[in-house]
């Protein structure tokens, strides 16, 4: 998580500051981590990035929101 948090420092997304397959593949693990009881929210950049990814219109649509 420290490596991911550092990689996201000052950026909105992982590659070229735009949502990409790298974000899609990586953000999918956050739900699994929560399910397993790991609190990733102490990593501020990861938390903000996860929220940004989940707020994208396509993500909201998939969740039925």
């Amino acid at each position: 998580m420290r490596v991911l948090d550092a990689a996201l420092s000052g950026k909105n997304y992982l590659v070229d500051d735009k949502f990409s397959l790298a974000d899609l593949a990586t953000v999918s693990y956050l739900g699994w981590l929560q399910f397993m009881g790991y609190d990733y929210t102490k990593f501020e950049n990861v938390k903000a990035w996860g929220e940004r990814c989940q707020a994208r219109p396509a993500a909201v649509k998939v969740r039925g929101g």
Side-chain angles (χ1 to χ4, degrees):
M1 255 333 113
R2 285 189 307 263
V3 172
L4 181 58
D5 199 61
L8 289 164
S9 180
K11 295 167 46 177
N12 287 320
Y13 298 105
L14 288 169
V15 179
D16 294 333
D17 211 27
K18 60 184 174 184
F19 187 80
S20 70
L21 184 58
D23 297 289
L24 182 64
T26 307
V27 78
S28 66
Y29 286 97
L30 295 185
W32 182 81
L33 288 171
Q34 279 185 310
F35 175 75
M36 297 302 290
Y38 183 79
D39 181 17
Y40 66 84
T41 61
K42 59 188 170 188
F43 298 93
E44 294 181 19
N45 296 325
V46 174
K47 180 179 184 270
W49 164 76
E51 291 170 352
R52 266 192 302 282
C53 289
Q54 293 299 324
R56 295 184 71 250
V60 172
K61 184 177 179 180
V62 165
R63 289 191 313 275

